[in-house]
Amino acid sequence: MERFKNPLVEALSKALNELFPGVVEEVLKRKIGPQDLETPPDRALGDFAFPCFRLSKQLKKAPPQISQELTAKVAPLVDPAIFEVKQAGPYVNFICNPKALIDGVLKDVLSAAQAYGTVAPKSREKWVFEYSSPNVAKPFQIYHLRTTIVGNSLSKMARLRGYDVTTINHLGDWGTQYGKLAYAIKKYANELPKEIALKDLVDIYVRIHKDMETDPQIEKDAQALFLKLEQGDADMRAIWKKCVDISMREFEKTYAKFNVKFDHYWGESFYEPQLKPLLADLKKRKVLVEDKGAWIVPVTTRAGGEIPPTILEKSDGATIYATRDVAAAIYRKEHLNFDRMTYIVGKEQILHFEQVFGVLRAMGLAWESQLEHLPTGLYRFKDAKMSTRKGNFITLEEVLELCSERSLTLMKERNATLEADQRLSDADIETIADQVSVGAIAFADLSTDPTRDLDFDVNRVVAFEGETGPYLQYAHTRCLSILKKVSATASPSSAELATKLTSSFELNLIRQLGRFPEAIERSLDQRKPSQLATYLINLTNDFNSFYRECKVMNPDDAALTAARASLVVATKNVLGHGLDLLGIPKPDKM
């Protein structure tokens, strides 16, 4: 529906300026734009609506009176072959002609296929996304999934809409925990297998923390080992590198499941060579001040509020992750020259980013205003959030197993109800169950506002009906199944489509298809993939209504079959593309 907005904005702008010169720009503080056109909640009212509430105070008129005057003025300025203009209370509503919908939406979707909604590559500003950032030598926790798939989804959408995107995985691969891990590896060397796995690193990390409860000296020795790592000790670097390699092999398996990719794996260690020069510069410029042997930067929020100072160098000379984040921001600005950078990191780090941004402001770096932190909420299970260092945590693997078991049970039950020649093999069911479990988890997460906590219920998220990932996956497989049965291969003309696609179910589905680009823009504007997730549910609901009410295969009317098959193709393209953007697998059958 994007293509319809510009002519409407031009007509509205002209009409408003003729009726109320200068008032709109005074009220909006800008020119009228596509964002000022709303979608009426009741489809019978139209496709677009311009609300007149905001003009009421300035014009000293009731909104319905303004909309009445504006309707009369704007109606002659739009093409009557495309739009019908009607007043509805305080709104000016625009209704698209069915043929215009078919020409302007359906034909676009069919001709563009997977490229529908795409804006020219790198035609918009440079946008850097940092997300995932799991800790090396620890399993991929369910809490890390949030930042991973939110960031992956937003960055994919941004690329689609023409932004010059760079994605970074800021691995937690540096810090005092590696001193503890090195201490544990040395202490338990004789008990470790020849080929150390991630679970072995976790086990000894947990054990060393238990040992620390009775022997406080271990923590001091571990801190000394990390300091040696920072100073370039060869033995410590070798241990650290081994831990990173073991962890990355496991992380890559997870990323493959959710179709997650990065342009750069720039972990905390990547910026280590820049830390000493950075600290020396800050001390020279007196941005850093000494406090009980440590070096800190007094900072405030962007609004000037008080927050604790940022420690950049501890009293033993070691750095902390805030130091690395400051260095990372500077490096990325110098090498990527971004226009905006979004950190997708858990909400427990809100203060941390306030402090990092405060340091950059204290350094006089004006581009600090281009940085933003999107805080993600937690998963909530029956148990409270658990701590890795106590050996009590919920891994993504555990949640995937629970969801796979549930989806396997449901699919076997459904399979048993089918005719023998339609049943899936056990191998197919297991493969699809894995895809369904990934889709269920991803959709449950991404359909929730990323800043809110997610109450996770396996039975609820792994369901084939309702607002779930499997519901969308099943709709996509239904499209594939229908198209396999349809014998029509001809591509109908616009005239044939306009003649055959006349029911409200068909036209509503076309309207919904046309809103795909808008859903992506909303997701980016609000930094919420949940906007796209909601759109895909609405699209699937409209498709199911169409499928229920409009018979696709019509042996006595080949033209009708071809027209409706075109709608199925268009739905498959848009729904499939939307699933790709959310990282949800698309099984061939379910």
Side-chain angles (χ1 to χ4, degrees), residues 334-493:
E334 290 175 349
H335 289 78
L336 301 175
N337 193 27
F338 54 75
D339 297 292
R340 72 171 84 170
M341 180 160 62
T342 303
Y343 298 85
I344 298 124
V345 183
K347 64 182 179 181
E348 64 272 17
Q349 297 297 327
I350 288 176
L351 174 60
H352 165 74
F353 282 104
E354 289 270 22
Q355 292 175 315
V356 169
F357 298 165
V359 171
L360 296 169
R361 282 196 305 277
M363 294 173 67
L365 300 174
W367 52 262
E368 175 274 332
S369 61
Q370 298 171 339
L371 310 180
E372 64 178 0
H373 171 213
L374 173 59
T376 54
L378 299 173
Y379 274 69
R380 295 292 188 188
F381 297 89
K382 289 183 179 179
D383 296 320
K385 186 183 179 185
M386 302 173 185
S387 169
T388 299
R389 63 181 54 183
K390 291 181 181 176
N392 205 13
F393 48 83
I394 300 175
T395 65
L396 173 59
E397 184 179 0
E398 290 175 299
V399 180
L400 277 167
E401 285 177 1
L402 286 172
C403 290
S404 289
E405 288 172 7
R406 178 62 181 160
S407 59
L408 195 60
T409 298
L410 290 176
M411 290 198 63
K412 285 182 176 178
E413 289 174 356
R414 292 165 69 96
N415 204 45
T417 65
L418 300 175
E419 298 293 332
D421 61 339
Q422 295 179 327
R423 290 175 189 167
L424 300 175
S425 68
D426 289 344
D428 280 344
I429 290 176
E430 288 185 12
T431 298
I432 296 167
D434 285 342
Q435 293 175 309
V436 168
S437 65
V438 170
I441 295 171
F443 186 83
D445 192 321
L446 294 173
S447 61
T448 304
D449 183 325
T451 63
R452 294 175 54 193
D453 292 345
L454 170 61
D455 293 317
F456 195 89
D457 179 347
V458 172
N459 290 334
R460 178 177 60 82
V461 304
V462 185
F464 287 81
E465 295 179 354
E467 298 182 2
T468 68
Y471 176 66
L472 298 181
Q473 290 172 308
Y474 184 71
H476 188 263
T477 61
R478 172 172 278 176
C479 290
L480 296 176
S481 176
I482 294 169
L483 294 174
K484 283 181 181 177
K485 297 175 184 176
V486 174
S487 58
T489 57
S491 178
S493 66

Side-chain angles (χ1 to χ4, degrees), residues 537-564:
I537 290 293
N538 292 335
L539 174 64
T540 299
N541 289 342
D542 279 340
F543 171 71
N544 286 337
S545 295
F546 154 75
Y547 180 71
R548 183 178 62 249
E549 302 294 335
C550 304
K551 188 177 179 182
V552 176
M553 285 163 284
N554 300 273
D556 299 327
D557 192 338
L560 179 60
T561 297
R564 289 179 173 169

Side-chain angles (χ1 to χ4, degrees), residues 80-93:
I82 300 178
F83 302 107
E84 180 183 359
V85 187
K86 286 186 177 181
Q87 180 202 4
Y91 294 91
V92 179
N93 288 342

Side-chain angles (χ1 to χ4, degrees), residues 174 178-179 181-187 189 196 221-222 224-244:
W174 207 250
Y178 298 102
L181 195 57
Y183 189 99
I185 288 173
K186 290 174 180 290
K187 180 175 181 179
I196 302 174
D221 292 342
L225 286 176
F226 174 62
L227 190 56
K228 288 177 70 176
L229 176 62
E230 283 203 306
Q231 292 169 345
D233 180 82
D235 183 42
M236 281 298 297
R237 291 289 171 115
I239 293 173
W240 166 80
K241 178 76 166 55
K242 189 169 189 175
C243 293
V244 172

